[in-house]
Amino acid sequence: MIKVQGKHLIEYNLDCAVDVDVDEMVIVVGYKAEDIINFLGNHYKGRAIKYVIQSEQRGLVHAVECAQKTIKWS
């Protein structure tokens, strides 16, 4: 939940997703998961958010593997 210029770092990423018209976002959370979920809720600027819990942090590839069933591929 780091802030840069008064805005949480994760918000910059979510804003980029909104700018390219993403309908739904999947966020993999582990460390501070409850804080992130409570802060963002189920929607960000009108876009749905789904959360995937990564019970042990084993890197980016593992995070993507955790989210694989939740991500909609088109």
Side-chain angles (χ1 to χ4, degrees), residues 3-41:
K3 281 188 174 182
V4 175
Q5 295 183 347
K7 189 174 178 179
H8 290 94
L9 212 54
I10 193 169
E11 291 179 272
Y12 287 101
N13 294 300
L14 296 176
D15 286 340
C16 288
V18 169
D19 288 346
V20 296
D21 207 25
V22 170
D23 294 330
E24 180 179 81
M25 297 175 241
V26 176
I27 301 175
V28 178
V29 292
Y31 177 71
K32 296 223 178 224
E34 189 174 325
D35 293 341
I36 295 166
I37 294 168
N38 288 335
F39 174 71
L40 293 173

